[in-house]
Each structure stands twice: as C-alpha cells, then as structure tokens.
C-alpha cells in the first residue's frame, strides 16, 4: 500500500477498530465510539476489550485478531508498554494505519522516548502509518469520522465546511474548534497529531491540499517537522490557490544557545521560521483572533487583487475609524472615479459623502434600490480591490440590507466584507450561511481584508521564477580547508570569501617580528594591525586591534602591544601572529552573515554593521538560495534602509554591490554545507558605483 492510500485509510477509514474501548461514553476510551455513533459514521466500528461482550450497544471483541474483518484504522487507547505488541498484532491482522491516543512517550522523559523510538522503528520497518502517540485524534467532517475524544464534540455540533484546522496542541484544537463554531466557521477536518512520531503536520497539510472538500488550511503550530514535505505541500497549495495560514507560537529565544558570531546572536530561530514560511507561501498570523479572521475570509473563496479598499459606511465617524485601520494594516483608500462619485451623489443626501470612505448615512438604507446601487457602484470601480460595508444595529432594515449584500456578492468577483455592530443572532446566522465574512469590529474587518491582499502578494512572490545566482564559484572554493573543524582565522576566512567573489581589504600576514619587518616596506600606510588567531573571535575585547599605524616603527610597536595584550589575557597559545591591511575609507557599515537551523537550513542575515548591530537590532534574513532580486528585497526590508538609499545629506550607497555580497554568501553556503557560521562584519558600502568591501570575516567549519 503506497503512502497516499495509507493516508486515506487513516483519514477516511471505512472501518475502525478501537483497542482499549470503554463502556463509559464520557471516558477517553468511550468518547470515540459515542461520537462515531452520534454523528452518523457509516462504517463498521469494532470495540476491542476482553472485559466486555458489548460496548455502547456494539459487539465487543477480545483482541485484534478476533475482529470479523481487517479494519482500515486501529485506534489504540492502552498502556504505553502494551503499544508495541498492539502494533505487532495490527500488522498480523493486516492493519497498516494506526492512531495512538495513549500518552507516556517522548513527552514524558527518557523511558518514554525509548518506547516511542521502538514504536517508530517497528512502524517504519513494516510500512505502517502512525498518528500520535499522545494525540487527541481527528475529525473528517464529510465522512463523519470522529476519531477523537475532544470535549468540543460534546456540544452536539459537527459543523461542516471547507476549512481544515490542524493543531499541534491537543487542548488548543478543541478550544479553537469550539470558538470557531460560534463564529459560524465550518470545517472539512479537525486534526491534532500529538507527538507526530511518523505522521506529521506536514503530512496532514499535504493530504488536505489534495482534498476536494478543503479550500484553506489553518494551523496552530509549535514547531516544524519534515520541512521539505511542508515546503512541497505549500508550493502545491499555492498552485491550487488553497491558502495555508499558520499561527506559529514560541517566538522567544529563551533557553537557546547563542551562536559565537554577531550574526548568530542577531538572528532568532523564529526569524528563520518566518523566512521559511514566506518563501514557501505560508501566510503567518500572530493571534487566535487573526486565525479566526483568516478562516472567515478564506472560506469565502474570493481573493483581493490588490490592497485598495472601497469603504461604504452609514457613519462618517466609522469611515474615519476604518481609514485609520487601513493605514495600520498597509491597505489604501483609493480615490473613486468621477463617474462613481457622480452615481453615489445621485443616491445619497447632501450631508453624506461620495468620497472614499463613502458616507451613505442611514437614510439610504431604507430603500433596497438605493443601497444596492451605492455598494454596486463602489464594487464596480476599477480602483477598488475589495469592498467593506459598515452597518450598526438597524435590524429593522435587515431584509433590504441583507438582500442587497447577497445580490452584490453574487455578481462581483471582488471580496465583500461586512462590519455589523451589535448584530442579532439571526443576522449573524444569515452571514454564516452565505459565507460572507462578518465582523463585529471594524479593525478586525480591515485586518481580514489585509489577509486577502497579503495572500495574493505572497502567492505572486512565490510563483515568480528565481533568477540565477552569482557567477560560478572558483573551483578552489569546493576544496578550501575541507575537513577542518572549528573557526578559521581572519586571513583564512577572508581567503575563502574572496575566492567566492567578495572583495576584501587584501590583508597580509606576519607570524613573527622578522616576517613583519620584511612586510613593512611593502605596505601602503596607514594600516590596521589585528591579532591573528582561530580562538580569539572578538579581537577588540582583548586589545587585539590597533588602527591607523603610519610607519614601520609604529608597526613593530603595534605587534608588541598586541602580543602583550594577548599574554595578559592568558591567550598566548592562541597567538598565530598579526594580520595587516590598509586603512580604507569608511563606508556605511553593514553585516552579512548566516544562521543555520537544523530543520530548515541556512539563512543569510543582513543588518547594520559594526557596533550598531548590537544597538539597533535591525536585521532581515532569508533562506538560501538567494538570487539578486531577493537580495535587493532584503535590503529594502531594513528599517534603516535610508542609510543606504540616501536621505538629506546622506548620499545613496552601492546597493547593487551589497546585494552581490548577499548572493555570493548564499552561493558559498550552497557550495559548502560544512560552513556552520559566517560573519562578515563590517562590510563597508561606499557611494553608488564605488563598491563594497569586507573589512572583517569569521567562518566556522564543521564536518
């Protein structure tokens, strides 16, 4: 059985066996049976428990081998140390899809980790698919498969729709579902995969993308497992216009080990996740409210072609509130065409306004024809990508208003979103049935509209064909220092980046005073003298840097001073000599480096350089490979980009040269996966057309 068929057996089983079934309907072992019966599952159900002859009105079987036919799915709710034997019994009975609700595995300590490892090894060796352990299960709303014990189903509502909700927290899955149901959102799947020992969130997303009943996928995410599959599934989702929206939690770096380079400290692991999602086409949101807003707008199926909103309101004050929200969420209120404004003026009183945001006044709402004509005129305007309608109270006019909104929604491809303050349950229910996004807060309504635009922009970006990277790297780069573990000294680091096509300050090395004297006559003063060492990473901290050395005598004195400082810090054994380079004119200082994530890969980090890197914390990152177009986008994403683009007396810098360094760092890391850390800091970026130079570099290799 291939993986696709295994996933179908898991997620759409025609028969289900439940090992550890209970006669108590409210127990964990009893709820799946209770729900399957209550919500109309049409397949066979085989409770397994040697203590009973019947359970909840169904024949009960002594063991897995006793069930009358092979089940598509086996749900296990027995003790952790019994699970492996249950897996073996399932295999003997021909069952290959298993869901383990039982906890007590990797989440509970070393013994649990060993049990889970044994389970994984057995499943992989026998081509079995395992959901869990320690999972709350799933609901397939179309097939009425309620393979879960979540208390959210105890409310008696199985609300079917087109949203797949996946949660990496079991408790959150039920709570999110219950809250979403109250907002009128319907689902194709509700999934919580527990420890994800074999079947991961990435597998569920991939399955949902292929599912005809699913139009959007919303995920409560705590971590990324199986990044390559997730990226492939996200690419497929983009191609099929199925938005994936993720609320990724766990942003802080608390407890993580900081890298040795400035870049590693500057870039958080969460920023790499952010980059991964952006590049994969996954729309990231921050809060549960954001996630619910996404469910509302993406269940409708309409998309916003741009960020231009036409606001139609019964209140001038509400229009101002929405205008502020548009600015907050990077949406715009375009000027409507003269023709549109003339049409509006013909239908609204003189104390209203035909200008966007349009103030209809409540008077217009008393007549269906006038209200419809106004909202239709705004929707038809070429400058508008989405229409937001603001209403409050007015339930006595609901028939006119709702009919006009429904009629407009039926004839325009543009999204129609409605804010209705103090809406009655009847009005809310109407919007839920029609799948027209309804909000009870104008700020949330504009935010929901912004999600439609963000998805469109993200989709366009992901579907753009990447340009080729930089020129081919020198053949020597692939072998340079190969097999080395640990940091390279500055000269070796600069040698490597220079071989990759990055301009450096062309340093020279002297390992002792004799070599330094020989070098002295060839130098162009003034020069910088720095300690050379693989172990002394932050040279300034121990007095290992002397600048503006102007002659041979000062050069030799600098050597002595640096050596004395090294000895004073107890680092004599780390001393390899000094590295000498010409003092170049100061440019705008930037930092270009990398941060590696064990699951997601290598990202290039760009930020303000020198000491400013620690103060401003202004950085952006992107996972490799990076082409010139995306390198320029990274630069444009910096908060301090005016330092590069020019501002008042600040001249424009060589943006293209900086972008080329980003591309070359990406190319170098693609060629040399053994590069664990890289820190080029500072990079001097000169005025436009004058280039950029790496002044210092640090590389760590690890085989």
């Amino acid at each position: 059985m291939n993986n696709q068929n295994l996933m179908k057996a898991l997620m759409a089983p025609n028969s289900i066996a439940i090992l550890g079934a209970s006669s108590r309907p409210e127990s964990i072992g009893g709820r799946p049976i209770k729900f399957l019966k209550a919500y109309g599952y049409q397949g066979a159900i085989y409770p397994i428990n040697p203590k009973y002859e019947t359970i909840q009105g169904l024949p009960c079987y002594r063991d897995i081998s006793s069930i009358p036919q092979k089940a598509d799915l086996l749900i296990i709710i027995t003790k952790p140390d019994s699970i492996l034997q249950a897996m073996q019994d399932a295999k003997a009975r021909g069952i290959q899809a298993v869901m383990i609700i039982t906890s007590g595995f990797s989440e509970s300590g070393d013994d649990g980790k060993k049990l889970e490892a044994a389970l994984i090894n057995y499943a992989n060796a026998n081509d079995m698919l395992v959901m869990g352990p320690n999972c709350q299960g799933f609901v397939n709303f179309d097939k009425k498969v309620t393979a879960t014990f979540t208390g959210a189903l105890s409310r008696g509502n199985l609300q079917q729709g087109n949203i797949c909700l996946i949660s990496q927290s079991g408790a959150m899955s039920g709570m999110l579902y219950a809250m979403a149901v109250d907002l009128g959102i319907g689902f194709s799947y509700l999934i919580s995969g527990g420890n994800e020992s074999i079947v991961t969130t990435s597998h569920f997303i991939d399955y949902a993308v292929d599912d005809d009943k699913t139009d959007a996928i919303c995920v409560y995410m705590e971590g990324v497992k199986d990044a390559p599959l997730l990226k492939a599934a996200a690419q497929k989702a983009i191609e099929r216009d199925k938005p994936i929206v993720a609320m990724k939690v766990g942003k802080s770096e608390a407890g993580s080990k900081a890298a040795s380079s400035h870049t590693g400290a500057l870039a958080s692991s969460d920023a790499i996740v952010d980059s991964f999602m952006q590049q994969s086409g996954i729309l990231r949101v921050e809060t549960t409210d954001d996630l619910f807003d996404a469910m509302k707008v993406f269940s409708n199926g309409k998309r916003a072609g741009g960020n231009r909103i036409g606001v139609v309101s019964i209140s001038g004050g509400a229009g101002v509130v929405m205008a502020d929200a548009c600015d907050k969420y990077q949406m715009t209120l375009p000027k409507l065409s003269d023709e549109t404004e003339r049409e509006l003026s013909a239908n609204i009183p003189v104390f209203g306004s035909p200008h966007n945001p349009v103030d209809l006044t409540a008077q217009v709402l008393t007549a269906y024809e006038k209200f419809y004509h106004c909202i239709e005129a705004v929707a038809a305007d070429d400058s508008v990508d989405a229409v937001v309608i603001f209403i409050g109270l007015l339930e006595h006019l609901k028939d006119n208003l709702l009919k006009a909104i429904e009629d407009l929604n039926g004839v325009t491809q543009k999204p129609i979103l409605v804010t209705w303050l103090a809406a009655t349950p009847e009005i809310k229910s109407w919007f839920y049935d029609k799948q027209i996004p309804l909000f009870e807060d104008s700020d949330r309504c504009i935010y929901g509209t912004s999600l439609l635009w963000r998805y469109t922009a993200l989709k366009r970006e992901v579907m753009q064909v990447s340009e080729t990277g930089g020129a081919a790297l020198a053949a020597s780069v692939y072998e340079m220092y190969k097999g080395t573990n640990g940091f390279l000294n500055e000269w070796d680091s600069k040698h490597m980046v220079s071989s990759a096509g990055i301009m450096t300050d062309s340093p020279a090395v002297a390992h002792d005073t004799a070599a330094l004297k020989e070098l002295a006559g060839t130098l162009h003063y003034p020069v910088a003298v720095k300690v050379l060492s693989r172990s002394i990473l932050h040279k300034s901290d121990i007095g290992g840097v002397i600048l503006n050395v102007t002659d041979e005598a000062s050069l030799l004195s600098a050597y002595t001073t640096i050596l004395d400082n090294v000895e004073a810090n107890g680092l004599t054994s780390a001393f390899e000599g000094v590295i000498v380079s010409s003092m170049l004119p100061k440019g705008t200082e930037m930092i270009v480096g990398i941060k590696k994530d064990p699951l997601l890969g290598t990202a290039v980090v760009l930020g303000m350089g020198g000491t400013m890197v620690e103060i401003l914390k202004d950085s952006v990152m992107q996972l490799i490979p990076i082409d010139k177009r995306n390198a320029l986008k990274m630069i444009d994403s910096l908060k301090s980009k005016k330092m590069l683009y020019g501002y008042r007396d600040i001249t424009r810098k060589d943006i293209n040269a900086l972008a080329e360094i980003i591309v070359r760092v990406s190319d170098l890391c693609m060629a040399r996966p053994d590069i664990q850390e890289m820190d080029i800091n500072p990079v001097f970026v000169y005025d436009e057309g004058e280039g950029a130079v790496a002044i210092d570099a640090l590389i760590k290799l690890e085989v």
Side-chain angles (χ1 to χ4, degrees):
M1 188 182 290
N2 61 35
N3 191 65
Q4 186 177 10
N5 288 335
L6 278 174
M7 283 298 293
K8 186 176 180 181
L10 173 67
M11 302 302 297
N14 290 316
S15 54
I16 302 173
I18 303 167
L19 180 64
S22 173
S23 61
R24 292 178 292 116
E26 294 306 323
S27 67
I28 290 177
R31 280 187 182 180
I33 298 173
K34 172 189 171 183
F35 295 150
L36 288 165
K37 293 179 65 181
Y39 290 115
Y41 174 64
Q42 295 300 302
I45 307 170
Y46 303 124
I48 303 172
N49 192 323
K51 296 179 182 179
Y52 304 98
E53 292 187 2
T54 62
I55 284 182
Q56 297 185 48
L58 297 172
C60 186
Y61 301 91
R62 182 174 186 80
D63 51 35
I64 293 172
S65 64
S66 301
I67 60 177
Q69 65 178 33
K70 175 183 77 71
D72 287 335
L73 171 64
L74 172 66
I75 301 174
I76 302 178
I77 320 171
T78 58
K79 292 181 179 179
D81 57 7
S82 71
I83 302 294
L84 188 57
Q85 181 61 55
M87 293 279 292
Q88 294 167 352
D89 294 343
K91 175 65 177 176
R93 191 66 181 89
I95 301 172
Q96 290 181 271
V98 177
M99 185 176 81
I100 303 172
I101 289 177
T102 306
S103 58
F105 290 86
S106 61
E107 80 283 359
S108 62
D110 290 340
D111 290 342
K113 288 178 182 177
K114 291 176 184 176
L115 284 174
E116 190 164 323
L119 183 156
I120 292 169
N121 290 336
Y122 183 83
N124 286 333
N126 290 277
D127 298 320
M128 297 178 74
L129 210 59
V130 176
M131 178 178 180
N134 185 37
C135 77
Q136 202 162 86
F138 72 93
V139 180
N140 177 333
F141 288 76
D142 181 53
K143 301 292 185 184
K144 306 296 187 292
V145 181
T146 52
T148 179
F149 64 92
T150 178
L153 295 191
S154 296
R155 295 184 172 188
N157 193 335
L158 203 64
Q159 194 149 295
Q160 188 170 344
N162 58 359
I163 301 291
C164 172
L165 174 59
I166 303 170
S167 173
Q168 289 184 317
S169 162
M172 284 298 293
S173 69
M175 289 185 285
L176 289 172
Y177 171 73
M179 293 168 71
V181 165
D182 289 343
L183 295 171
I185 298 163
F187 294 89
S188 55
Y189 294 91
L190 172 65
I191 302 169
S192 184
N195 293 2
E196 300 188 8
S197 59
I198 295 196
V199 184
T200 67
T201 292
S202 302
H203 288 93
F204 293 126
I205 291 173
D206 186 60
Y207 181 83
V209 171
D210 288 335
D211 180 69
D212 292 339
K213 299 291 192 300
T214 299
D215 292 327
I217 300 154
C218 293
V219 188
Y220 175 89
M221 185 179 290
E222 296 174 347
V224 177
K225 286 190 175 183
D226 203 344
L229 175 59
L230 179 54
K231 189 165 189 175
Q235 180 65 43
K236 186 166 59 174
I238 284 286
E239 293 166 358
R240 298 182 185 181
D241 196 28
K242 292 190 177 186
I244 300 174
V245 184
M247 178 187 167
K248 168 66 175 67
V249 298
K251 286 188 164 192
S252 71
E253 280 286 288
S256 65
K257 184 179 179 181
S260 302
S261 66
H262 283 291
T263 316
L266 181 66
S268 70
S269 296
D270 185 72
I272 292 186
V273 172
D274 218 36
S275 174
F276 173 81
M277 288 186 175
Q278 281 280 340
Q279 290 173 253
S280 301
I282 298 171
L283 187 63
R284 186 173 185 181
V285 297
E286 301 293 321
T287 69
T288 53
D289 283 341
D290 296 347
L291 200 61
F292 294 139
D293 291 344
M295 293 177 193
K296 289 181 184 179
V297 299
F298 290 122
S299 64
N300 178 264
K302 292 187 177 183
R303 305 286 180 257
N307 69 336
R308 304 168 302 172
I309 300 178
V311 173
V312 183
S313 172
I314 66 164
S315 160
V320 174
V321 171
M322 287 192 161
D324 288 345
C326 284
D327 184 68
K328 178 180 177 181
Y329 297 117
Q330 290 80 54
M331 305 298 282
T332 63
L333 289 168
K335 182 187 181 306
L336 302 175
S337 70
D338 292 342
E339 181 183 355
T340 300
E341 291 191 355
R342 280 194 297 272
E343 289 184 28
L344 290 167
S345 295
N347 286 278
I348 63 178
V350 293
F351 50 87
S353 171
H355 309 301
N356 193 17
V358 178
D359 180 9
L360 297 182
T361 76
Q363 182 175 316
V364 173
L365 307 186
T366 60
Y368 162 86
E369 292 79 8
K370 283 192 172 186
F371 179 57
Y372 177 79
H373 193 72
C374 288
I375 59 177
E376 192 276 334
V378 173
D381 194 292
D382 290 339
S383 70
V384 169
D385 297 306
V387 178
V388 168
I389 300 170
F390 179 93
I391 301 170
L393 298 172
L394 299 178
E395 52 264 29
H396 63 290
L397 298 176
K398 69 178 185 306
D399 292 340
N400 286 342
L401 301 178
L402 296 179
K403 178 172 171 40
I405 292 168
E406 180 180 14
D407 289 349
L408 177 62
N409 188 62
V411 298
T412 181
Q413 293 301 309
K414 295 178 182 178
I416 308 298
L417 297 89
V418 178
T419 299
W420 196 312
L421 299 189
T424 64
E426 182 185 359
I427 290 171
K428 293 178 186 179
S429 179
W430 183 92
F431 277 98
Y432 300 160
D433 289 343
K434 303 298 180 183
Q435 288 191 314
I436 298 172
L438 173 69
F439 298 84
E440 295 181 80
D441 179 86
S442 56
D443 186 89
R444 301 310 309 177
C445 188
I446 298 299
Y447 174 77
T449 315
S450 77
L451 289 176
L452 291 170
W453 162 237
R454 281 176 56 196
Y455 172 70
T456 298
L458 186 62
K459 181 178 177 179
R460 288 174 184 172
E461 177 65 26
V462 170
M463 294 186 77
Q464 281 197 47
V465 178
S466 294
E467 302 170 3
T468 56
L473 296 178
S476 61
V477 169
Y478 293 85
E479 299 299 325
M480 197 174 285
Y481 311 112
K482 206 161 189 180
T484 301
N485 273 306
F487 286 98
L488 303 180
N489 63 35
E490 182 181 340
W491 193 91
D492 290 334
S493 296
K494 285 183 174 176
H495 184 202
M496 182 171 270
V497 300
S498 176
S499 297
I502 297 170
M503 185 178 293
T504 70
D505 54 6
S506 304
V509 168
H511 296 291
D512 51 36
T513 51
L516 190 62
K517 287 178 181 178
E518 187 175 333
L519 179 64
T522 67
L523 298 175
H524 297 284
Y525 296 95
V527 296
V529 185
K530 295 180 277 186
V531 62
L532 184 69
S533 173
R534 294 181 58 181
S535 305
I536 303 172
L537 304 182
H538 302 299
K539 298 178 276 289
S540 297
D541 294 348
I542 59 103
V545 178
I546 298 178
L547 305 178
N548 293 308
V549 174
T550 56
D551 52 35
E552 181 175 342
S554 300
L555 181 69
L556 294 173
S557 175
Y559 179 94
T560 301
T561 300
I562 288 172
L563 182 56
D564 288 345
N565 289 339
V566 168
E567 290 174 347
N569 282 275
L571 298 169
T572 305
S573 61
F575 184 75
E576 299 172 30
V578 294
I579 182 169
V580 184
S581 55
S582 297
M583 291 289 298
L584 297 179
K586 194 163 186 176
T588 298
E589 292 189 40
M590 303 297 296
I591 178 172
V592 181
I594 68 166
K595 184 174 179 76
K596 297 198 83 162
D597 182 277
L599 297 175
L600 302 179
T602 301
V604 176
V605 184
L606 170 70
M608 295 300 295
T611 55
M612 296 300 288
V613 66
E614 304 290 354
I615 298 170
L616 295 180
K617 299 291 185 183
D618 180 17
S619 67
V620 293
M621 66 162 58
Q622 183 160 334
L623 289 162
I624 63 173
I626 301 171
D627 59 16
K628 182 73 170 290
R629 176 176 62 87
N630 283 301
L632 290 169
K633 280 189 64 179
M634 289 177 68
I635 296 169
D636 191 60
S637 298
L638 288 168
K639 297 172 188 173
S640 51
K641 62 187 177 183
K642 287 183 179 179
M643 298 287 290
L644 297 166
Y645 288 170
Y647 182 72
R648 293 186 177 177
D649 60 340
I650 300 174
T651 57
R652 183 178 175 86
K653 305 308 173 189
D654 201 329
I655 307 295
N656 284 321
L658 178 58
E660 187 62 30
I661 289 177
I662 295 169
V663 172
R664 293 307 184 117
V665 168
S666 170
D667 292 345
L668 180 55
C669 291
M670 291 292 291
R672 292 294 300 268
D674 58 335
I675 297 177
Q676 296 300 307
E677 292 187 38
M678 184 188 305
D679 192 30
I680 306 176
N681 179 33
V683 173
F684 281 178
V685 185
Y686 296 113
D687 289 349
E688 191 167 22
E690 296 180 6
V693 180
I695 302 300
D696 201 353
L698 176 69
I699 289 177
K700 182 182 181 182
L701 301 177
E702 187 175 308
V703 178

